[in-house]
Amino acid sequence: TILKERKRVIINFLIIIQGKMRNITFAIYKGIEYSAGIKKDGRIVLRSEDDASKKEGFVEKEIGNNRIYIKYVQKDEIEEIYDKKTYAVYEGYKFIVVDETEKQILILTMKGDYQEWIRLGMECIDKGMYQKWINKNEAEIEVLKEKI
């Protein structure tokens, strides 16, 4: 049915977003912004790629070929926690940014007129999902913070 197909497309979209997008939850701890997560028990896990984080009590972990530093804190130890989402206004349309390099961003949409997305040179990656790499200077980038 159409509803089952739409649900499949949304699930695929979420998988793509989670796989490509950098962690969108952040916390301010001792004046520094860290990638963060909220554990089921309410603790906040802070993540850093900076070796200097060890001085703040972060523990080194290896995940695959990457080395990160993590620290568990209580919510009252952080100054702020929020989700950060990045959008790009390109050719008059607002897109979600799902990946970036030094000079480019990958924009993605699941809504709107597919003919317009084709006109903009976007690639169809799944039913109703279009993406395109663009130069950062081609778009107005917006970062929205939503407190948790």
Side-chain angles (χ1 to χ4, degrees), residues 73-135:
V73 296
Q74 298 299 321
K75 192 167 184 173
D76 63 359
E77 295 180 73
I78 61 170
E79 297 157 40
E80 186 178 9
I81 188 163
Y82 50 88
D83 284 341
K84 190 184 329 183
K85 297 175 184 159
T86 305
Y87 297 92
V89 177
Y90 172 70
E91 296 289 327
Y93 298 99
K94 190 173 187 174
F95 299 96
I96 190 164
V97 175
V98 294
D99 201 359
E100 73 177 296
T101 64
E102 187 178 320
K103 295 181 180 180
Q104 292 189 310
I105 54 175
L106 179 62
I107 57 174
L108 183 133
T109 188
M110 265 186 56
K111 57 185 177 182
D113 181 359
Y114 77 93
Q115 292 174 334
E116 189 63 15
W117 308 148
I118 292 169
R119 184 189 72 75
L120 292 177
M122 299 183 81
E123 172 190 7
C124 181
I125 58 171
D126 200 347
K127 186 174 181 176
M129 295 175 60
Y130 292 83
Q131 71 177 20
K132 180 180 181 179
W133 281 100
I134 62 170
N135 293 325

Side-chain angles (χ1 to χ4, degrees), residues 19-40:
K20 289 186 174 180
M21 203 171 185
R22 293 191 177 134
N23 192 318
I24 62 168
T25 302
F26 295 87
I28 304 295
Y29 175 72
K30 295 189 176 182
I32 299 172
E33 182 184 71
Y34 293 98
S35 172
I38 303 172
K39 304 299 281 180
K40 288 182 182 177

